[in-house]
Amino acid sequence: MQKDNRLIRVTVGEVVGGTHVHSQTFTAVLVPEPGLYPVTRQTKVWFLDGGRPKPVLRISRTQIPLVPAYAITAHGSQGKTLPAAMADFNVDRWTDITFGTVAGSRVRSREDILILRPFPLWLFQRGAPEGPELLLKTLRGEKIDWVNYREARAPSAPCQQCKVVKPVDYFADAQWDKARANLPATCLTCIHKDGGACKRKMPSNVERLRCIGCGFEKVEHAFPRAQLRQPRAEERRNCIACLKNVSELTCSQCAEVKPLKEFHLSALTLPWAAACQSCQDAVRGKARRLRAGWEKCRGCAAFLPTSSAVYINQRCPNCAADRKWGKHTCLRCKRKWSENSAEEQIRKRFCPNCR
Ligand SMILES: [Zn+2]
Ligand SMILES: [Zn+2]
Ligand SMILES: [Zn+2]
Ligand SMILES: [Zn+2]
Ligand SMILES: [Zn+2]
């Protein structure tokens, strides 16, 4: 169906003439019928050593003569001018949007392109991409909050040893968990004093979450774990930078408003459960059985009221590591079992057989 090497719109074709196809074992007659193109079995014979005076390496192949069509990616087609093309523009959200321009401009006229699937609608509804938008703003001379943009991509925290403010990739994972909980953290350079990696690789394609406080879309690392684990977090979560602007907190126990230094350092990451030092000290001296309603975090050693803070495996929401919900290991028989329970529930210690 080619004419001047151009693609003709061929949804329903028409066989103009009938031909007898002969092969060794099979004969077919083409019936002149619109849209029907019979493909018959064929045998081809050739010699591998065809250049010799007396060739002996005879090859015979019988097959249906079908070959895969010529298909390339948009990147592979870059720079080519094609006589005709069929393009698929149905990109997913990870594909660069310039992909469409590359694929669509490989032909000379609109007659030469057949669009298999058009661009998806969401592509035109998601707004301008961050990079070009910032470039345009800079060129227009608009004021850009660079500090917040940098914080949104790579949040930073001071190192407790060298006192230098460094971005997240200069801290080990466990140390950054402390930094995002507003606890003192040590950078990789100070940990590896005698040489070693001072930076770690962070995944680049991470989902951004909107901070309710500043309205910026920030990476997950910019939020304290407690903020992400609170109920209805999408409507309430604040990034660590926003939380640090607070100068006083209300104690959830004595209901007094006190300056920040009267609280445990991590208290500002979960203000709804904050308990002042004097309220904590009153509990600290007591034996475990006498401090009902309070739990001591195994990670940061803070005392928090269990009524307002969700304890996971005896750790506060900041210190608890991410783990699969509903998966437990029995303390007695060491067997693993899974049991779905609400997040608020205390982790089960013994499997159903050992209880
Ligand atoms: Zn340091
Ligand atoms: Zn914020
Ligand atoms: Zn108090
Ligand atoms: Zn903790
Ligand atoms: Zn068991």
Side-chain angles (χ1 to χ4, degrees):
M1 293 306 292
Q2 280 197 331
K3 182 183 157 197
D4 299 343
N5 249 352
R6 285 190 163 197
L7 193 75
I8 304 165
R9 276 141 291 180
V10 277
T11 42
V12 179
E14 193 180 317
V15 176
V16 185
T19 329
H20 289 275
V21 180
H22 293 285
S23 81
Q24 285 172 334
T25 54
F26 190 84
T27 308
V29 181
L30 291 193
V31 191
E33 190 183 322
L36 188 70
Y37 309 96
V39 179
T40 57
R41 190 169 68 167
Q42 290 187 11
T43 303
K44 289 267 187 257
V45 177
W46 73 95
F47 288 90
L48 267 189
D49 51 350
R52 283 185 183 172
K54 275 186 185 168
V56 283
L57 301 172
R58 183 179 181 274
I59 307 281
S60 165
R61 284 288 177 274
T62 304
Q63 67 173 76
I64 305 283
L66 285 177
V67 279
Y70 180 57
I72 43 175
T73 60
H75 289 98
S77 74
Q78 220 157 13
K80 282 189 169 69
T81 303
L82 303 171
M86 285 201 243
D88 184 1
F89 293 136
N90 190 29
V91 294
D92 58 22
R93 69 194 189 96
W94 301 114
T95 312
D96 196 275
I97 41 171
T98 51
F99 158 86
T101 323
V102 174
S105 58
R106 292 308 98 212
V107 290
R108 289 192 185 87
S109 88
R110 68 189 179 90
E111 302 293 315
D112 299 339
I113 194 159
L114 186 72
I115 295 170
L116 291 176
R117 290 189 294 178
F119 284 111
L121 185 61
W122 60 260
L123 195 61
F124 304 97
Q125 296 172 332
R126 66 172 180 180
E130 197 181 30
E133 173 95 340
L134 283 174
L135 177 66
L136 285 176
K137 274 188 177 175
T138 314
L139 293 175
R140 284 197 293 260
E142 285 175 31
K143 244 187 134 61
I144 299 167
D145 189 355
W146 286 114
V147 177
N148 243 326
Y149 264 106
R150 218 167 288 137
E151 279 287 308
R153 294 184 143 262
S156 56
C159 166
Q160 62 174 336
Q161 282 188 32
C162 60
K163 312 288 179 211
V164 181
V165 177
K166 292 183 175 183
V168 54
D169 44 348
Y170 285 85
F171 290 88
D173 206 36
Q175 290 297 315
W176 183 257
D177 271 349
K178 287 186 177 178
R180 71 199 271 197
N182 197 36
L183 299 170
T186 315
C187 75
L188 277 168
T189 321
C190 294
I191 289 175
H192 301 153
K193 276 209 176 73
D194 43 347
C198 64
K199 206 176 166 186
R200 66 176 163 137
K201 215 172 151 73
M202 305 288 293
S204 56
N205 258 348
V206 283
E207 212 186 331
R208 302 280 185 95
L209 306 168
R210 181 172 290 279
C211 168
I212 303 306
C214 56
F216 270 93
E217 301 245 330
K218 299 194 169 193
V219 291
E220 190 222 337
H221 301 289
F223 296 85
R225 283 189 195 275
Q227 285 288 319
L228 299 176
R229 280 176 174 151
Q230 64 180 315
R232 293 190 293 122
E234 326 64 73
E235 306 162 25
R236 296 180 184 178
R237 65 185 167 219
N238 271 270
C239 65
I240 184 73
C242 285
L243 291 167
K244 277 183 178 170
N245 294 332
V246 177
S247 60
E248 41 189 32
L249 286 172
T250 313
C251 175
S252 62
Q253 299 305 299
C254 59
E256 275 178 51
V257 180
K258 293 187 176 182
L260 215 54
K261 64 177 196 297
E262 302 262 327
F263 290 87
H264 190 268
L265 280 170
S266 66
L268 63 80
T269 65
L270 58 178
W272 62 89
C276 69
Q277 280 306 349
S278 51
C279 286
Q280 287 208 13
D281 287 344
V283 192
R284 203 179 295 273
K286 287 180 187 168
R288 200 186 155 88
R289 64 193 162 80
L290 293 175
R291 42 179 213 242
W294 290 79
E295 184 99 46
K296 184 185 176 184
C297 173
R298 277 182 168 190
C300 62
F303 277 90
L304 292 173
T306 44
S307 54
S308 45
V310 180
Y311 264 73
I312 305 155
N313 207 12
Q314 295 179 36
R315 282 163 194 271
C316 75
N318 275 321
C319 300
D322 283 320
R323 64 175 183 83
K324 287 220 166 63
W325 288 106
K327 291 253 185 281
H328 313 264
T329 309
C330 175
L331 279 181
R332 198 163 290 155
C333 67
K334 307 292 179 219
R335 237 180 256 139
K336 289 191 188 338
W337 87 98
S338 59
E339 186 175 321
N340 280 336
S341 55
E343 281 193 8
E344 290 79 13
Q345 257 179 324
I346 299 162
R347 196 172 184 196
K348 300 245 180 2
R349 287 161 174 248
F350 303 110
C351 72
N353 297 336
C354 301
R355 264 173 226 161

